Amino acid sequence: MIDSARLELPDFAPGSVWLVGAGPGDPGLLSALALHALDHAGKRGGRPSPSQPDISARLIRLAQEGRRVLRLKGGDPCVFGRGGEEALALAAAGIPFRIVPGITAGIGGLAYAGIPVTHREINSAVTFLTGHDSDGEVPGGLDWNAVARGAPVLVLYMASRNLPNIVTRLLAAGRRPDEPVAIVSKATTPAQSVLVSTLGEIAAAASGIQTPSIIVIGEVVRLRAALDWVGALDRHPSG
């Protein structure tokens, strides 16, 4: 239980909605505010996923019934999590809401793989992008030449299905085929696995990779050889 009074956490008022990031998977990465919200509301699971308009309408309806509504999302609600869409719907309906950030997989998941998303001797910029648009295809509105040139490190969310197409575009835009790539599957959980390859070979190597997964392209991947702390703990559990 969270000591809400000691931490001076805000009241979860009836008739309000909290959009809460649950982090990438390890329960230890939940924030105190997320646990506080969970103490005051439950999560109903095990049902087919409704459409986004249905979700937003349900959030509004439950709040109007005077309930404390917790919308729990993996990672961070506003990093490719549709938190902004839901918050806009709540605002339009006059429903009080709070956004509780969470640790996104593109940072926390990579850290558990021993891959820092930035390193001052390698990159001063990073680009986060989604691997598909609303219809499941490679985002058509992206300038892939600009993406390829824009940052030394690229982090791709939900990109496994479209990875061959994405790789083709990045190579055509000038990324090196020998550039290191890692795919972190089921990040921060006991089932985490990490596949390291190169941009030119990753599409073939990744066949059958389990999802959810996060993909990182860039020289920071090489740091995993020294920084795989999860693997070190597995080899030396007393550590």
Side-chain angles (χ1 to χ4, degrees):
M1 296 289 289
I2 292 293
D3 189 343
S4 302
R6 180 182 178 186
L7 295 176
E8 300 182 349
L9 298 180
D11 180 44
F12 192 169
S16 66
V17 177
W18 284 23
L19 307 173
V20 177
D26 185 341
L29 298 179
L30 282 164
S31 69
L33 200 53
L35 287 172
H36 170 65
L38 285 167
D39 283 342
H40 291 82
K43 179 177 183 293
R44 180 177 296 170
R47 296 184 176 183
S49 297
S51 67
Q52 188 60 51
D54 289 341
I55 291 172
S56 297
R58 182 170 176 78
L59 295 175
I60 293 167
R61 183 172 68 255
L62 291 173
Q64 290 172 336
E65 292 172 0
R67 303 192 189 191
R68 297 180 179 89
V69 184
L70 168 60
R71 173 72 162 131
L72 193 64
K73 292 173 169 286
D76 183 279
C78 293
V79 180
F80 304 120
R82 298 184 178 178
E85 296 173 48
E86 293 171 6
L88 284 170
L90 294 168
I95 302 296
F97 67 91
R98 175 182 291 269
I99 297 174
V100 179
I103 297 174
T104 184
I107 296 175
L110 296 184
Y112 268 55
I115 303 171
V117 75
T118 64
H119 186 285
R120 65 179 180 173
E121 295 180 2
I122 295 175
N123 65 310
S124 57
V126 58
T127 297
F128 296 92
L129 60 154
T130 178
H132 66 80
D133 55 21
S134 58
D135 62 6
E137 301 302 321
V138 174
L142 284 180
D143 181 340
W144 286 96
N145 289 322
V147 168
R149 295 191 308 267
V153 174
L154 307 178
V155 179
L156 287 73
Y157 290 71
M158 303 172 286
S160 295
R161 192 182 78 174
N162 292 325
L163 185 57
N165 197 334
I166 292 171
V167 166
T168 297
R169 295 183 185 213
L170 291 174
L171 291 173
R175 300 293 290 218
R176 300 190 333 269
D178 64 344
E179 191 171 16
V181 179
I183 302 180
V184 185
S185 176
K186 299 185 182 298
T188 79
T189 73
Q192 172 177 298
S193 65
V194 183
L195 172 66
V196 176
S197 184
T198 63
L199 188 60
E201 298 178 355
I202 190 63
S207 177
I209 197 77
Q210 289 188 310
T211 56
S213 63
I214 194 81
I215 301 172
V216 56
I217 302 169
E219 292 299 318
V220 291
V221 172
R222 299 190 193 278
L223 300 179
R224 170 174 161 77
L227 302 182
D228 179 18
W229 61 273
V230 171
L233 289 177
D234 290 340
R235 293 189 295 271
H236 307 287
S238 61

